Amino acid sequence: MGGNNKFIDKFSNVAMRVGGQIHLKALRDTFATIMPLYILAGVAVLINNVVLPLILKGNALVNAQYWGTVITNGTLNISGLLVAPIVAYMLSQSKRFENPLAAAIIALASLIVMMPNVLEVTPVGADKAVQVS
């Protein structure tokens, strides 16, 4: 029994050190901030794929599922754009920067600058990729 307590004490000590790491705390706070978007996307997926097929059929189902798909895509796409600036904001706030909002703005601008201008997509059944700008 004494060995088990020793392990738990060491494990707790390591967990506290890792949990107190400033970058991991910024990530934790970021995802806690964005959590409502993920919850909304999850509810939309649930309604779209479980509830609506029980109630509607055919064209009415397709029309109703359009809105669930729009909500899901909108929330998940915007959360992708929000992660970088919120991480920067939380990290700069933890490090007591004078203007954490400036770090968030720079992070968002950097994310958009680094996005690719041209994508290559290979359509189903095609042998060659097509560039999409």
Side-chain angles (χ1 to χ4, degrees), residues 12-107:
S12 297
N13 192 14
V14 170
M16 284 176 45
R17 284 188 200 166
V18 170
Q21 211 282 333
I22 195 167
H23 298 89
L24 293 178
K25 282 173 37 176
L27 281 173
R28 179 200 64 202
D29 294 343
T30 297
F31 285 104
T33 302
I34 298 176
M35 187 60 65
L37 289 177
Y38 294 125
I39 292 170
L40 181 59
V43 169
V45 167
L46 176 71
I47 291 171
N48 229 20
N49 297 312
V50 175
V51 176
L52 290 180
L54 295 174
I55 301 169
L56 304 170
K57 301 284 183 231
N59 216 15
L61 176 62
V62 171
N63 289 337
Q65 283 181 329
Y66 169 79
W67 292 105
T69 303
V70 168
I71 291 169
T72 302
N73 287 339
T75 54
L76 294 179
N77 291 343
I78 197 68
S79 73
L81 287 174
L82 290 176
V83 167
I86 295 176
V87 167
Y89 181 84
M90 295 297 181
L91 186 59
S92 61
Q93 196 175 36
S94 294
K95 291 186 175 227
R96 303 188 198 313
F97 282 13
E98 190 174 313
N99 189 0
L101 189 59
I105 292 169
I106 290 170

